[in-house]
Amino acid sequence: MAVLALVPLAYVVSYVVAIGPVELWELVARPRIAELLRNTITLAVACMAATAALGVALAVAVERTDLPGRRLWHGLLVAPLAVPAFVNGYAWVSLDRGVQGFGGAFAVVTLSYYPLVYLPVVAMLRRLDPALEETAFSLGHSRSRTFRTVVLPQLRPALLGGALLVGLHLLAEFGALSLLRFPTFTTAIYDQYGSTFNGAAATAMAGVLVLLCLVLLLADLRLRGDRRYARVGRGAARTAVPLTLGPWRAPVLASVGAVVVLALGVPAFSLVRWLVAGTSTEFPVAELTEALVATLALALAGAVVTTLAAIPVVWLAVRHRGWASTVIERSTYVANALPGIVVGLALVVASLRVVPVVYQTAGLLVAAYAILFLPRAVVTVRAGLEQAPAVLDDVSHSLGLGTLATARRVTLPLIAPSLGAGAALVFLAISTELTATLMLSPIGTSTLATEFWSASSELRYGAAAPYALLLVLVSIPATVLLMRADSPAARTETVPA
Amino acid sequence: MSSLTITGVTKTFGTGPDATRAVDDVTLHVPHGSFTTVLGPSGCGKTTLLRLIAGFLVPDAGSIAFGATTVAGDGVRPVPPQSRHVGYVPQEGALFPHLDVAANIAFGLPSHARGGQAGRDRVTEMLDLVELPSHFRDRRPDELSGGQQQRVALARSLAPQPAVVLLDEPFSSLDASLRGTTAAAVRRALAATTTTALLVTHDQNEALSLADQVAVMRGGRLVQSAPPSEVYLSPSDPQVAEFVGRAVVLPGTATDGRATCALGEVVLSEAATGPVALMIRPEQVYVDLAHAEGVRGTVEEVSYYGHDCAVRVVLDDGTSVLARMAGVRHPSEGDVVHLRVTGLVRAYRPEGAP
């Protein structure tokens, strides 16, 4: 399975090697590529900075001040995660055609992705030991100086980790940027692939994109390594004394409210408006049902396959530590950084070349899902297996149970909840996956995402609305899981296609 | 139930120059129904020895027998742990977190004995044995304190009536006040069922107070196995002496049953001649506050514990000596006192001597 996860990377690398440096340079060193590179990097850097600032400011306002209704605000601030970025893009652009280009893309993407910074920072703020801040106060530091010198440095891993995640999401983002007419590598690869089937140009661009992703992935892996040592000991039972806002209460309240209105209110309003306008003319129950059933069937198959594939990877990583098992586990994380567009492209080319029979089958699409979402299943199942330490197996053996009986009566009952949670996360991620589904879904199969896409990209906004609504509805359970900020899943919400 | 006999057991981890001999030619007999503690510092191989007996590891050499049945070594194919009928109580209990107390205790019973009235009766019996109220049967492991978890873990291991119970530092994660009561309850439960038991620990108080026999391990080797009082009063060498309690080791010269040293003349437990190292327990050093009888010294430091106190005295010749005395009346720093040695003193061949 881990080998399968490396297929897309192997494809890109072998391709780049095969065409040789000269031709590659000709493909890459073109004004169009330079423009895409500039677009992609500018947008990524701007959005990472904006989400970082917004995420920390909101987290501090909700966790560390006497803002009224903090619990409610927390829920509302996480809720945008339930709106896929491409649905958000659709909501804005269908409301006002002016929202496009760099400004529009920047605003919509920032509003869609700031929770990826907000959530880990909130989790970190909750875990921080208030004794450290109290010590700083006792040493005569003011509140603002304590925040700068004590709190902020400890938030750094969560903040940087979240921002890197935003970067990875952004590099992979296709739907929203395409709707907002801001070309990046991902949208260009798709256009190239769709219009000309020009494999060479598309793959060369994919190579550059993969390189950008790997840079972010390496930064993230380094950070994860550091984080292990930086973790605060036992969960702090006490919470820090909240900062009194005083005269700042109204402005802070208004700012938090404005973010919620922009990130949640506008998409909701737009969706409802199109739903009303659209259903006045048509409401295709049969087509909606068909798309929903196809989506759920694909998601179910993908979830089962991905979770089953995660079990041996996790087993090796937890119970048989060694360089080989580490390499296997890490290699699944490489797939984590690969955008859906690259996985899709790689599987199209690889299947056509090696096993043409599987091209345009549901099986190939499920394989793409497994590659894309294996890391989510791995992290969740891993957390479960770590709850079942090897000493329990020893005890069970000493009580007369063999290997199979121990698996049945000890290990499986213990990891079953995490298997379920992992499968649920993958199921929900697949339901709203767009890019790989567009490229690989069998002819005649329509899913919620593909139907939404064909309607909205043809500017039939009313027809797209019911699909958008269903996409948001299936995203809600995953968002509720993620709202438990300390859940392992909070860190693994990764590259949507 | 049966005795446990370990003969010449050796276990090496790794190969080549990195190889460490974790257990080195250990021979030990635990009589039927008795309680032996294996005492040693961390890394001495005591947990490895336990895992060899349980069957989680296979010895490189030597044999292990329960009663007359050899379970490993002597050309016998090693019996897997699930067929050895050992009870195993690991550190921190390791209760199955998905099962309640009753299901944990009944875990090792055969399936026909687990359900129904017979299973319920056995669980009640075991809870009673480890001195827990019977309404604990429905609790989840996370609702129990550390000491209660250990008692349930013991009940779980005893329920299928194992040949031998192995306990791996079972009390080390408990705080001091719980440790004593839990250890006493465990000892009573083992005695009530006349279970052969082996407990591994690095805590000398625990090792001495619980066991019929203490086996001291150092660097993978078994250096002494004897009843607790013998290990304390007549340790096999000065290092063992210092490991199982505080000890004052002084050079001296022996003539037959007596020896002279910085603390004057002492009576030896075994006759010796020539230069010796004398091991004196601090409570053998009598501190005389009233009379000028014995060796004179000045009190340098007093550590007061309430029930008793430790007094460090520097003798006039510069030798530093530790004495332990009742806390009722004790000297202060700078006081001049006189010291005498009471009871028998064990003499060793001094280090470096042939």
Side-chain angles (χ1 to χ4, degrees):
Chain A
M1 191 62 217
V3 175
L4 187 59
L6 288 179
V7 164
L9 191 66
Y11 155 70
V12 172
V13 171
S14 68
Y15 180 83
V16 165
V17 172
I19 64 169
V22 179
E23 201 180 334
L24 183 68
W25 181 247
E26 276 172 12
L27 280 170
V28 172
R30 289 181 302 160
R32 173 70 175 151
I33 299 273
E35 188 202 335
L36 289 174
L37 193 62
R38 198 169 50 244
N39 276 357
T40 308
I41 291 179
T42 326
L43 188 64
V45 170
C47 285
M48 283 163 75
T51 51
L54 196 58
V56 172
L58 291 169
V60 171
V62 169
E63 280 298 314
R64 288 299 173 92
T65 69
D66 60 349
L67 191 74
R70 287 157 56 183
R71 292 273 68 89
L72 176 68
W73 287 121
H74 178 67
L76 289 173
L77 286 171
V78 178
L81 277 181
V83 184
F86 60 85
V87 172
N88 203 11
Y90 148 84
W92 279 89
V93 81
S94 65
L95 210 58
D96 179 357
R97 302 296 293 277
V99 182
Q100 51 173 288
F102 178 82
F106 170 73
V108 169
V109 170
T110 302
L111 287 172
S112 287
Y113 288 154
Y114 77 85
L116 297 179
V117 176
Y118 170 82
L119 262 180
V121 172
V122 164
M124 193 56 122
L125 278 174
R126 285 183 190 166
R127 281 213 306 264
L128 284 191
D129 189 351
L132 288 176
E133 286 164 72
E134 287 160 9
T135 312
F137 294 148
S138 77
L139 292 169
H141 287 206
S142 68
R143 260 203 184 267
S144 63
R145 184 164 169 208
T146 301
F147 183 79
R148 250 190 359 264
T149 57
V150 177
V151 180
L152 213 50
Q154 297 190 79
L155 293 182
R156 220 181 57 141
L159 174 59
L160 289 181
L164 288 173
L165 212 51
V166 170
L168 280 175
H169 272 69
L170 197 117
L171 291 181
E173 181 60 51
F174 159 70
L177 298 180
S178 180
L179 285 172
L180 296 167
R181 304 190 192 291
F182 186 74
T184 62
F185 274 110
T186 306
T187 63
I189 293 169
Y190 186 80
D191 292 345
Q192 192 75 256
Y193 164 80
S195 60
T196 62
F197 271 93
N198 187 340
T203 311
M205 286 194 281
V208 179
L209 185 60
V210 166
L211 209 60
L212 291 176
C213 290
L214 288 182
V215 169
L216 288 184
L217 180 75
L218 285 179
D220 187 51
L221 281 181
R222 260 193 82 142
L223 212 59
R224 277 168 202 246
D226 294 345
R227 257 159 59 95
R228 190 165 303 170
Y229 304 101
R231 182 171 294 166
V232 189
R234 305 209 160 197
R238 288 180 303 145
T239 44
V241 182
L243 181 72
T244 311
L245 286 172
W248 290 96
R249 178 178 293 212
V252 169
L253 204 55
S255 310
V256 175
V259 171
V260 170
V261 166
L262 289 175
L264 209 58
V266 172
F269 170 75
S270 174
L271 205 56
V272 170
R273 205 185 76 156
W274 284 113
L275 218 47
V276 172
T279 49
S280 62
T281 49
E282 50 170 343
F283 197 81
V285 177
E287 285 164 33
L288 271 175
T289 316
E290 193 195 327
L292 184 63
V293 168
T295 302
L296 297 183
L298 278 172
L300 190 66
V304 169
V305 168
T306 311
T307 311
L308 288 180
I311 294 175
V313 174
V314 171
W315 187 268
L316 284 175
V318 174
R319 290 291 175 86
H320 301 276
R321 284 180 193 279
W323 66 267
S325 58
T326 309
V327 166
I328 290 174
E329 198 197 9
R330 285 288 154 81
S331 66
T332 66
Y333 281 94
V334 173
N336 204 15
L338 291 182
I341 190 97
V342 176
V343 173
L345 193 63
L347 286 189
V348 166
V349 174
S351 66
L352 282 178
R353 219 172 272 168
V354 186
V355 267
V357 203
V358 302
Y359 178 62
Q360 292 236 320
T361 58
L364 191 64
L365 183 55
V366 167
Y369 290 148
I371 293 172
L372 280 170
F373 301 124
L374 186 61
R376 291 182 199 212
V378 164
V379 172
T380 318
V381 174
R382 187 184 173 132
L385 192 61
E386 279 169 352
Q387 298 300 305
V391 66
L392 293 182
D393 288 14
D394 286 350
V395 171
S396 171
H397 290 320
S398 78
L399 289 167
L401 272 70
T403 311
L404 273 181
T406 301
R408 183 172 58 81
R409 287 180 56 197
V410 179
T411 318
L412 263 182
L414 281 170
I415 67 170
S418 69
L419 287 180
L425 272 180
V426 174
F427 179 89
L428 295 161
I430 292 175
S431 313
T432 56
E433 206 281 342
L434 177 65
T435 325
T437 314
L438 281 179
M439 295 180 81
L440 291 171
S441 66
I443 290 175
T445 303
S446 56
T447 72
L448 292 179
T450 60
E451 288 303 291
F452 167 82
W453 188 249
S454 69
S456 61
S457 58
E458 289 162 17
L459 310 186
R460 292 185 289 122
Y461 294 137
Y467 295 101
L469 179 70
L470 283 176
L471 283 167
V472 171
L473 288 180
V474 295
S475 299
I476 287 175
T479 312
V480 172
L481 273 177
L482 288 166
M483 265 161 93
R484 291 162 50 217
D486 45 356
S487 72
R491 268 294 293 168
T492 55
E493 166 61 18
T494 34
V495 190
Chain B
M1 308 288 161
S2 59
S3 63
L4 166 66
T5 310
I6 302 163
T7 316
V9 163
T10 297
K11 179 72 184 175
T12 308
F13 291 113
T15 47
D18 295 334
T20 41
R21 190 162 274 203
V23 172
D24 189 359
D25 193 19
V26 167
T27 296
L28 178 67
H29 179 72
V30 182
H32 168 74
S34 75
F35 194 156
T36 292
T37 51
V38 178
L39 173 67
S42 53
C44 73
K46 56 190 192 301
T47 293
T48 305
L49 180 66
L50 198 83
R51 295 180 68 79
L52 286 164
I53 300 167
F56 305 137
L57 297 171
V58 176
D60 299 333
S63 67
I64 298 168
F66 296 163
T69 318
T70 303
V71 293
D74 278 351
V76 173
R77 215 176 78 166
V79 177
Q82 55 264 36
S83 309
R84 286 197 184 186
H85 303 291
V86 289
Y88 175 54
V89 181
Q91 281 183 35
E92 311 196 5
L95 297 181
F96 299 116
H98 59 299
L99 301 175
D100 64 11
V101 166
N104 262 288
I105 293 176
F107 190 89
L109 298 176
S111 56
H112 60 82
R114 231 181 294 149
Q117 194 55 44
R120 274 196 295 280
D121 289 349
R122 184 73 179 145
V123 168
T124 310
E125 193 186 332
M126 297 319 291
L127 279 173
D128 192 42
L129 180 70
V130 295
E131 299 166 26
L132 286 176
S134 61
H135 66 262
F136 268 50
R137 58 185 310 125
D138 298 323
R139 298 225 176 151
R140 312 284 306 186
D142 56 9
E143 294 169 330
L144 303 179
S145 73
Q148 290 162 350
Q149 287 184 25
Q150 284 298 359
R151 292 178 194 217
V152 174
L154 179 72
R156 177 179 64 183
S157 72
L158 287 176
Q161 294 177 303
V164 174
V165 169
L166 306 169
L167 304 104
D168 185 3
E169 306 235 11
F171 313 120
S172 59
S173 61
L174 305 182
D175 60 45
S177 60
L178 262 179
R179 202 176 298 168
T181 52
T182 309
V186 164
R187 188 188 173 170
R188 283 193 293 273
L190 290 170
T193 50
T194 49
T195 304
T196 311
L198 189 81
L199 181 146
V200 152
T201 181
H202 64 267
D203 181 320
Q204 58 269 40
N205 293 330
E206 205 169 284
L208 295 175
S209 63
L210 287 176
D212 304 312
Q213 174 180 240
V214 177
V216 184
M217 274 187 85
R218 193 169 64 215
R221 302 191 73 98
L222 189 67
V223 286
Q224 184 172 19
S225 61
S229 61
E230 191 180 328
V231 169
Y232 186 74
L233 292 174
S234 191
S236 60
D237 60 48
Q239 287 101 305
V240 172
E242 285 178 347
F243 189 66
V244 296
R246 306 293 292 268
V248 179
V249 180
L250 295 175
T253 312
T255 340
D256 294 332
R258 290 174 177 271
T260 50
C261 65
L263 282 171
E265 195 177 68
V266 297
V267 183
L268 300 181
S269 56
E270 287 164 41
T273 323
V276 286
L278 300 167
M279 193 284 291
I280 303 162
R281 293 290 179 195
E283 57 273 13
Q284 283 184 277
V285 179
Y286 178 74
V287 182
D288 201 330
L289 303 176
H291 310 97
E293 251 175 72
V295 182
R296 212 171 80 109
T298 312
V299 175
E300 190 185 56
E301 190 183 4
V302 178
S303 306
Y304 183 70
Y305 300 112
H307 49 79
D308 65 359
C309 69
V311 181
R312 182 160 291 283
V313 178
V314 178
L315 305 181
D316 287 353
D317 70 352
T319 310
S320 177
V321 171
L322 188 71
R324 194 181 291 281
M325 59 191 296
V328 184
R329 191 163 161 255
H330 62 86
S332 312
E333 278 171 40
D335 286 359
V336 171
V337 294
H338 288 81
L339 305 181
R340 285 196 301 280
V341 175
T342 59
L344 300 178
V345 170
R346 173 85 199 239
Y348 300 92
R349 201 177 280 232
E351 241 174 282

